[in-house]
C-alpha cells in the first residue's frame, strides 16, 4: 500500500480519492473546499492545511484540477510542488489540460528526477464512484507500469497512449466526440418530441438502431427518461458545462496548431459556449438538451 497525496476533490477527484482509501492506501487530501475535505476525512483520509503539507512523505502525488493554469500554479515555480518533492516521487496529473502544458510540467518534473504521468480520465462521476474510470496516460513506459497498480484502484481500463502529452491529446479527442454525440442526441430527441413522440419510446428505438451511442444509451439527456442520470435531477452534478466548454476550447486550439479540420467539433464548441453563456455553466453538460427545448 502506498502513501498517496490527493489534491483536488471535486466531482471526480473526491470519489477517486475515496476509492484509494477503500483499497487500503494511506491517503492525505487537500482542497480549498472544506466540505469536500471533510467528506473524505469521514471516509478515512488524513488532511493537511496546505498542498505542501499534504505531500510530505508521499510516495505518490495525484492531482485532479479544473484547468491548465491550476496545474501550472500547483506544480511549477519556486513555490510549486515539484520543487518540494524528493527525487523519484511518482506524480500523476489526472486533470484535462492542453498537451503542451502537460509536456511543460513533465519536463520540469524530469529535471528534478521525478516520475510524471499525465493521466486524464473518462467515465464521468458515475465511473469515478464505481471505480470503473478509463485512464488515458502519457509518459514513459516505466512510469506507466509503476502507476498502473494505483490507477487500477480507481479505474477499469488503463491505457498508455504514448509519450508525455499523448494522454491529453487522446482525452480532448474523446471529449470532442462526446460533445458532438450529446448535442446530436439532444437534437434528435427534441425533433421527435416536437412531432409528438414519447422521448422514452424514441430513445429506446434509437438505442436499438444505428443511432445508438453512449450519450443515448447510458446518459440520456431528456428529463425523466433514465434514472440516475443528471437529466433526471435537474442536471445537477456530473460533468459541468463549463468544463466541457473548456475541453472543446482545448480541442479547437489544438486543431489550429496542427492545421486540422474539425467542423463538427467547432460547432459543438459554439453550441456549448452559447449554452454556458445563458447561465447554464454549472449544470451537467447533458443540459444542452435545454438549448434545443428553448429553455
Amino acid at each position: 500500500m502506498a502513501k498517496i497525496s490527493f489534491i483536488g476533490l471535486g466531482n471526480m477527484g473526491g470519489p477517486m480519492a475515496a476509492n484509494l482509501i477503500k483499497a487500503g492506501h494511506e491517503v492525505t487530501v487537500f482542497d480549498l473546499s472544506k466540505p469536500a475535505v471533510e467528506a473524505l476525512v469521514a471516509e478515512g483520509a488524513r488532511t493537511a492545511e496546505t498542498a505542501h503539507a499534504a505531500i510530505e512523505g508521499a510516495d505518490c502525488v495525484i492531482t485532479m484540477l479544473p484547468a491548465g493554469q491550476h496545474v501550472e500554479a500547483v506544480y511549477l515555480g519556486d513555490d510549486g510542488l515539484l520543487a518540494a518533492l524528493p527525487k523519484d516521487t511518482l506524480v500523476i496529473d489526472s486533470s484535462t489540460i492542453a498537451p503542451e502544458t502537460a509536456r511543460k510540467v513533465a519536463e520540469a518534473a524530469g529535471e528534478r528526477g521525478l516520475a510524471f504521468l499525465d493521466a486524464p480520465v473518462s467515465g464521468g462521476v458515475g465511473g469515478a464512484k464505481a471505480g470503473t474510470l478509463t485512464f488515458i496516460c502519457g509518459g514513459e513506459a516505466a512510469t506507466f507500469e509503476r502507476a498502473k497498480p494505483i490507477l487500477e484502484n480507481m479505474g477499469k481500463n488503463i491505457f498508455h497512449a504514448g509519450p508525455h502529452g499523448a494522454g491529453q491529446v487522446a482525452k480532448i479527442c474523446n471529449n470532442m466526440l462526446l460533445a458532438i454525440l450529446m448535442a446530436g442526441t439532444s437534437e434528435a430527441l427534441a425533433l421527435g418530441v416536437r412531432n409528438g413522440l414519447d422521448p422514452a419510446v424514441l430513445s429506446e428505438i434509437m438505442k436499438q438502431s444505428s443511432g445508438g451511442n453512449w450519450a443515448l444509451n447510458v446518459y440520456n439527456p431528456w428529463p425523466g427518461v433514465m434514472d440516475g442520470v443528471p437529466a433526471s435531477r435537474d442536471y445537477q452534478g456530473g460533468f459541468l458545462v463549463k468544463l466541457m466548454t473548456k475541453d472543446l476550447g482545448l480541442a479547437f486550439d489544438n486543431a489550429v496548431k496542427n492545421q486540422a479540420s474539425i467542423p463538427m467539433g467547432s460547432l459543438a464548441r459554439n453550441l456549448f459556449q452559447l449554452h454556458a453563456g445563458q447561465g447554464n455553466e454549472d449544470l451537467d453538460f447533458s443540459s444542452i438538451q435545454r438549448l434545443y427545448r428553448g429553455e
Side-chain angles (χ1 to χ4, degrees):
M1 295 297 103
K3 292 184 178 180
I4 300 174
S5 170
F6 203 110
I7 299 171
L9 306 174
N11 289 340
M12 297 293 291
M16 291 166 66
N19 282 326
L20 291 173
I21 296 168
K22 292 173 185 176
H25 297 289
E26 182 181 310
V27 181
T28 300
V29 299
F30 176 77
D31 193 279
L32 296 177
S33 168
K34 288 186 178 180
V37 171
E38 290 169 356
L40 268 297
V41 170
E43 296 277 350
R46 299 183 180 187
T47 186
E49 291 298 318
T50 66
H52 276 272
I55 66 171
E56 291 180 4
D59 303 311
C60 173
V61 175
I62 302 175
T63 46
M64 174 59 95
L65 302 168
Q69 63 264 34
H70 304 106
V71 174
E72 289 196 46
V74 165
Y75 282 119
L76 302 182
D78 294 338
D79 294 327
L81 297 186
L82 295 184
L85 288 169
K87 185 178 179 180
D88 207 37
T89 302
L90 175 62
V91 181
I92 302 171
D93 179 48
S94 286
S95 316
T96 298
I97 58 178
E100 53 268 29
T101 302
R103 296 185 190 111
K104 180 179 179 180
V105 177
E107 182 179 359
E111 291 172 352
R112 293 169 171 80
L114 303 169
F116 180 83
L117 201 68
D118 55 282
V121 302
S122 179
V125 175
K129 291 179 178 178
T132 58
L133 290 171
T134 295
F135 282 87
I136 311 165
C137 305
E140 296 180 359
T143 303
F144 172 75
E145 292 300 329
R146 182 179 167 189
K148 193 174 180 181
I150 293 174
L151 299 179
E152 286 174 339
N153 296 143
M154 302 177 285
K156 182 173 67 173
N157 302 299
I158 319 295
F159 292 103
H160 185 208
H164 294 301
Q168 299 297 345
V169 173
K171 175 62 189 293
I172 61 178
C173 290
N174 178 80
N175 277 22
M176 181 179 74
L177 178 58
L178 175 59
I180 292 168
L181 291 172
M182 184 58 77
T185 296
S186 297
E187 189 170 303
L189 286 171
L191 177 61
V193 171
R194 185 65 64 91
N195 280 272
L197 296 184
D198 182 323
V201 173
L202 176 59
S203 293
E204 193 60 33
I205 291 169
M206 293 193 295
K207 282 170 61 177
Q208 303 303 324
S209 303
S210 55
N213 66 80
W214 186 90
L216 179 69
N217 295 353
V218 302
Y219 212 87
N220 196 293
W222 197 278
V225 170
M226 185 176 289
D227 293 333
V229 297
S232 293
R233 54 175 185 268
D234 202 26
Y235 300 107
Q236 297 301 307
F239 183 50
L240 305 186
V241 170
K242 62 185 176 184
L243 296 180
M244 177 57 87
T245 303
K246 182 261 296 184
D247 291 356
L248 288 166
L250 293 175
F252 182 84
D253 292 343
N254 187 272
V256 171
K257 290 175 183 176
N258 289 281
Q259 297 183 329
S261 178
I262 54 165
M264 295 183 72
S266 297
L267 178 56
R269 175 175 176 257
N270 288 339
L271 288 169
F272 276 93
Q273 187 64 62
L274 174 63
H275 184 52
Q278 293 177 341
N280 301 296
E281 64 175 10
D282 290 319
L283 298 179
D284 179 74
F285 81 109
S286 62
S287 65
I288 193 72
Q289 184 72 77
R290 288 184 169 180
L291 188 67
Y292 290 98
R293 296 176 67 176
E295 297 178 358

